[in-house]
Amino acid sequence: MVKRLSVVDVDRCVGCQACMFACARQLGHGGLDGACIHVRSAGGIRKGFVVIVCRACPDPPCARVCPTDALRPREERGVRLKADLCIGCGNCVQACPFGAVLWDREQNKPQICVYCGYCASYCPYEVIALEEVEPIRTTEEMPHAAP
Amino acid sequence: MLPHDPLCRVLYVDLARRRSWVEERTDLFAETLGGAGVGIRLLDEECPPGADPLGPENPIILTVGPLVGLFPVASKTVAMFKSPHTGNLGESHAGGRSAVALRMAGYGAAVIRGASPTPIYLVIEEGQVHFRDAAALWGMHSSYTAGSVLRKRESGSGMRSIMRIGRAGERLVSYACVITETYRHFGRLGFGAVWGSKRLKAIVVSGKRSLPVADRRAYRQTYDRIFQAATQSELMKKYHDLGTAMNVEPLNSIGGLPTRNLQSGQFEGAAAISGERLAEDYLGRRVACAHCPVACIHLAALRLPYPNDPYFYKTVMLGYDHEPIYATGSLLGLDDVPGMLQLMDEIEVQGLDVMSAGVALAWATEAQERGIITPQETDGLVLSFGQAQPYIEAVRRIVSQPTDFYRALAQGVEHAASLYGGVEFALAFGGNEMPGYHTGPACHVGYLTAARHSHLDSAGYSLDQQAVQTGADLIPKDVADALLAEERWRQVLTSLVICLFARSVYSPEVVLQALSSTGHNWSEDGLDKLGADILRRKYKFKQREGFSAAELRVPQRILETSAPAGPFDEAFIREAIARYETQVKSHHSGESKR
């Protein structure tokens, strides 16, 4: 089994953004820079909130459009960033239909969720959770595995 | 302060010349933390003596504090200005995303000077300020719509605050508010009219930056301690469950809920407008300010039919709290909940301070009942306790001002009563309308003496309620001293811009830990002295602008209607006020030691 971050019930979200601050705190600082999870209103607070997380896709579109293989499919699911290969083209941002590839403007590189679940431990209302899912593939089956 | 902390950056904006610049004011923040402390210092610098509150010389000052963006529930922005409502110190606090957005944009404060010749809105981003035309937004019917337009037009969703005024602010109603994130407000003392006088429709602030910490381990430990307390304490749970509306029933049961212009402290319809009933029948969503896990903001979902169009409905989502329920419910004798909620909604659409609006309507109702004013003054409306529709119509007229009477009412109850009479039942304190507690003498001494004339300054209602519980007699001197000690400590909390609902979470010890882990060196003694000093500065400003404790009017009505903490007379109030005034100016803060 592998783990990914999952939005369990977005209707319980109160928009406190404690998850975003937690993610940034993991990097050793305060504020919001570097957060890989994003909470915004669904078109005004009266309509509730949208919680954007990396879904750890089995065949991640963000990796498919990376020209330098800096974003590589993780074994089983999701992606991993090899920052030294990234040229900051931003194709990955465009490719993700959820807008879950957030951008580090200082480094000019994507911010990629590592599925640590730290954010979920600060969600007071069980909106998000680290979830165990079936691995979609083995290393041999990976679409972009080296020949 | 740590070297890369942007807190000391003050953004200056000149609306007349459409210029902006940043000044580093490290000393200001090192000496007074932020929030209220920095706010009053900047007001002293910016606001000339005798300034016209609606003139270009009156500044708009917005400040945040060192813990914003670093710790939970440090979520308020302090606004400082000269109030067009009282003609004196104007200070109003709001949450929403305002504080986090301003801090994340890289500023500790913003000072907005001058007046724009044409309607304008500001977009404040990291390193950039844009002046945008707001001519098309000016005069728009609903404050909600103005927010929706800006939400679409500007970027930064999830990272921004959209502060705006409604038509009440544009038309300079002296108790117009500034709305942020639709459901939070710089509610009191007419901040919205100051914006209107500058033709400033809105400010959009956004940013997403990192903030340095001094000691990562200590920072995380302190964070976790505060987070745990904020999410698990009983009080915080109550704020989450029922919100401030939890106060309605208990307050009513002891006879402290102002009813029908405070002709009574008990409302027979209290159960209908209680936090419990509203939650069960109307609660549609709970939301939070940025970086506050408590989520005390309660939104009612009100489904309304169109009277002449079968099966046509709209669903309105509107925020409710204890104060709006008091001001549009018990004080107006309204237990018709849909009617009360529609009145609240209209006040929101127009952008008025709900508390002042409710008190103004309550006074007008009693004045009409007594024949002081007639339907000629009210433009044909018959105001009557318990009837929502005329109140909704009256709110629109307070803003559109079709008659001299509404022009007067648009300047508050003190002003209207000074012209028409009925001053003895005009519920204003230092020119500001009454909050929703009639618990005993301490709450009223608090409204009169407190720097903002707010119940949140010194929590007199809490002293009264303690007296009710213990059966102890209140003594003027003790009341004054206790209020002063509380108000001094609250200067520290509001300089850190910690939400006062979390005051029990942020004990002096926790405050010091939070500060030291993020590079600010303070002692408990230093904080105490700072609190006393800030309050002294506020009083100095107030006296400079003509405030005199001895000349404060004590509304006769509060002495006539029995209060839970027992009867009290004007002599009690006068003695407490005099004591307070002597002590607040005292340079020895020893008595404020906690």
Side-chain angles (χ1 to χ4, degrees):
Chain A
M1 297 292 266
V2 292
K3 287 185 172 170
R4 73 162 181 187
L5 189 64
S6 176
V7 180
V8 182
D9 187 352
V10 75
D11 290 315
R12 288 176 62 94
C13 181
V14 296
C16 71
Q17 303 184 321
C19 52
M20 292 165 64
F21 284 100
C23 187
R25 210 160 54 250
Q26 267 293 65
L27 305 171
H29 56 71
L32 287 170
D33 191 32
C36 299
I37 178 169
H38 189 68
V39 178
R40 61 172 173 80
S41 81
I45 285 169
R46 75 183 100 169
K47 294 179 184 160
F49 297 94
V50 174
V51 180
I52 300 164
V53 300
C54 174
R55 296 189 76 244
C57 303
D59 181 12
C62 54
R64 269 188 276 134
V65 298
C66 179
T68 60
D69 277 347
L71 266 185
R72 295 181 186 184
R74 224 171 45 138
E75 289 150 29
E76 308 108 5
R77 292 180 82 118
V79 287
R80 186 171 285 132
L81 177 69
K82 295 236 359 148
D84 46 356
L85 295 180
C86 176
I87 55 170
C89 69
N91 284 358
C92 49
V93 175
Q94 299 297 319
C96 177
F98 307 105
V101 178
L102 300 169
W103 201 252
D104 179 340
R105 279 179 305 171
E106 224 163 86
Q107 299 293 322
N108 197 35
K109 291 180 199 300
Q111 296 160 193
I112 301 295
C113 176
V114 296
Y115 321 108
C116 70
Y118 191 68
C119 55
S121 62
Y122 286 89
C123 177
Y125 305 110
E126 295 162 13
V127 176
I128 48 174
L130 208 57
E131 185 185 56
E132 295 215 325
V133 286
E134 288 292 331
I136 297 296
R137 55 179 175 258
T138 60
T139 313
E140 293 82 64
E141 291 165 347
M142 283 172 62
H144 294 279
Chain B
M1 200 179 307
L2 295 171
H4 298 294
D5 194 325
L7 184 70
C8 59
R9 287 160 44 88
V10 177
L11 175 69
Y12 288 83
V13 177
D14 181 340
L15 290 176
R17 292 190 293 161
R18 313 246 156 113
R19 277 185 64 233
S20 72
W21 65 98
V22 175
E23 290 179 22
E24 303 241 337
R25 304 290 307 269
T26 313
D27 290 357
L28 195 57
F29 284 88
E31 285 163 20
T32 64
L33 291 170
V38 167
I40 188 63
R41 289 272 290 260
L42 287 172
L43 190 69
D44 274 337
E45 289 176 14
E46 297 287 329
C47 184
D52 174 1
L54 299 176
E57 67 269 33
N58 188 18
I60 288 173
I61 293 162
L62 298 169
T63 57
V64 296
L67 306 184
V68 176
L70 286 160
F71 292 99
V73 217
S75 53
K76 294 279 186 175
T77 302
V78 170
M80 210 65 89
F81 51 101
K82 185 171 172 184
S83 164
H85 195 51
T86 61
N88 212 307
L89 177 67
E91 181 185 347
S92 188
H93 304 174
R97 289 185 182 154
S98 59
V100 166
L102 195 59
R103 184 98 160 97
M104 292 292 96
Y107 306 106
V111 173
I112 299 168
R113 294 176 178 162
S116 168
T118 55
I120 202 168
Y121 72 92
L122 289 178
V123 177
I124 299 173
E125 295 167 343
E126 287 176 70
Q128 264 188 320
V129 174
H130 305 278
F131 296 83
R132 303 237 214 267
D133 180 53
L137 295 172
W138 204 257
M140 191 165 247
H141 166 71
S142 166
S143 69
Y144 290 115
T145 319
S148 304
V149 170
L150 293 173
R151 190 179 303 124
K152 279 228 144 153
R153 199 168 158 76
E154 298 299 334
S155 61
S157 179
M159 304 293 187
R160 68 185 172 189
S161 176
I162 304 178
M163 308 174 212
R164 67 271 193 179
I165 57 169
R167 280 181 70 236
E170 295 174 11
R171 297 182 59 81
L172 310 179
V173 177
S174 72
Y175 47 96
C177 70
V178 173
I179 302 163
T180 185
E181 285 64 82
T182 314
Y183 299 113
R184 296 290 94 184
H185 308 84
F186 295 96
R188 309 227 70 193
L189 297 172
F191 194 38
V194 178
W195 286 41
S197 73
K198 298 182 178 307
R199 290 169 207 85
L200 177 63
K201 180 69 182 175
I203 302 179
V204 184
V205 192
S206 67
K208 185 190 182 183
R209 55 174 302 140
S210 63
L211 296 171
V213 299
D215 176 342
R216 288 182 183 196
R217 197 151 164 254
Y219 167 55
R220 282 201 196 184
Q221 278 173 351
T222 309
Y223 189 100
D224 288 349
R225 183 177 168 184
I226 295 167
F227 191 85
Q228 294 262 325
T231 48
Q232 285 166 22
S233 84
E234 277 309 307
L235 181 66
M236 292 289 132
K237 270 187 191 147
K238 274 190 188 167
Y239 279 126
H240 176 67
D241 289 347
L242 295 178
T244 55
M246 67 181 158
N247 290 330
V248 173
E249 240 344 345
L251 200 56
N252 186 62
S253 70
I254 59 169
L257 182 67
T259 300
R260 285 185 284 272
N261 202 37
L262 194 57
Q263 293 176 34
S264 168
Q266 222 150 20
F267 183 40
E268 67 286 351
I273 58 169
S274 67
E276 291 80 357
R277 186 69 73 77
L278 284 170
E280 283 158 19
D281 295 350
Y282 293 95
L283 182 58
R285 191 181 291 290
R286 274 176 289 205
V287 299
C289 294
H291 215 171
C292 174
V294 178
C296 76
I297 306 167
H298 284 56
L299 306 184
L302 177 65
R303 184 167 174 256
L304 293 169
Y306 281 78
N308 304 318
D309 217 343
Y311 303 114
F312 212 97
Y313 297 92
K314 66 173 174 181
T315 301
V316 179
M317 299 288 284
L318 70 153
Y320 64 83
D321 267 297
H322 172 75
E323 298 295 341
I325 293 170
Y326 135 77
T328 63
S330 63
L331 198 72
L332 298 177
L334 269 174
D335 61 359
D336 149 29
V337 177
M340 177 187 80
L341 293 175
Q342 284 178 79
L343 173 58
M344 267 185 218
D345 194 52
E346 188 60 38
I347 288 168
E348 196 65 44
V349 161
Q350 303 289 344
L352 290 163
D353 171 23
V354 65
M355 294 161 73
S356 290
V359 173
L361 293 173
W363 169 83
T365 310
E366 191 170 339
Q368 200 172 29
E369 280 180 353
R370 288 167 179 250
I372 295 171
I373 55 166
T374 66
Q376 201 186 330
E377 275 85 34
T378 59
D379 195 26
L381 295 180
V382 178
L383 302 174
S384 170
F385 291 121
Q387 297 296 316
Q389 200 52 42
Y391 287 136
I392 293 170
E393 293 296 328
V395 163
R396 293 179 184 140
R397 283 166 174 76
I398 286 172
V399 176
S400 63
Q401 298 164 30
T403 65
D404 285 342
F405 174 72
Y406 287 108
R407 273 189 285 282
L409 207 55
Q411 302 302 309
V413 79
E414 187 83 43
H415 177 72
S418 75
L419 296 180
Y420 290 87
V423 77
E424 64 281 7
F425 56 86
L427 298 171
F429 297 80
N432 193 28
E433 284 76 8
M434 179 179 175
Y437 300 85
H438 176 61
T439 44
C443 75
H444 294 293
V445 173
Y447 306 154
L448 288 161
T449 54
R452 295 184 282 156
H453 303 288
S454 160
H455 60 301
L456 290 170
D457 283 322
S458 51
Y461 57 86
S462 165
L463 290 180
D464 289 329
Q465 281 167 290
Q466 282 166 27
V468 174
Q469 276 163 16
T470 60
D473 281 340
L474 289 165
I475 298 159
K477 175 183 172 292
D478 295 350
V479 165
D481 291 353
L483 291 174
L484 181 60
E486 187 63 32
E487 194 170 1
R488 280 175 171 162
W489 174 244
R490 289 186 182 206
Q491 303 310 309
V492 175
L493 293 177
T494 55
S495 295
L496 295 164
V497 298
I498 289 162
C499 177
L500 290 172
F501 292 167
R503 61 187 178 271
S504 59
V505 173
Y506 279 93
S507 64
E509 184 215 343
V510 170
V511 165
L512 290 173
Q513 255 185 33
L515 282 171
S516 80
S517 72
T518 51
H520 306 271
N521 294 316
W522 282 83
S523 66
E524 193 168 341
D525 190 45
L527 293 178
D528 278 342
K529 285 193 173 122
L530 176 68
D533 181 60
I534 294 169
L535 195 54
R536 212 158 34 232
R537 273 180 187 278
K538 287 184 182 176
Y539 262 82
K540 225 172 136 189
F541 182 92
K542 286 180 72 123
Q543 279 171 332
R544 189 193 87 181
E545 296 299 323
F547 175 83
S548 158
E551 286 169 30
L552 282 167
R553 180 178 72 83
V554 178
Q556 284 308 300
R557 176 57 50 80
I558 66 167
L559 309 171
E560 295 159 4
T561 301
S562 75
F568 56 94
D569 56 14
E570 184 159 344
F572 183 111
I573 304 272
R574 294 272 167 221
E575 191 185 334
I577 294 172
R579 166 80 186 176
Y580 188 97
E581 193 183 30
T582 330
Q583 292 302 106
V584 78
K585 293 187 209 158
S586 147
H587 281 260
H588 309 288
S589 62
E591 288 188 37
S592 75
K593 268 276 179 66
R594 296 172 64 81

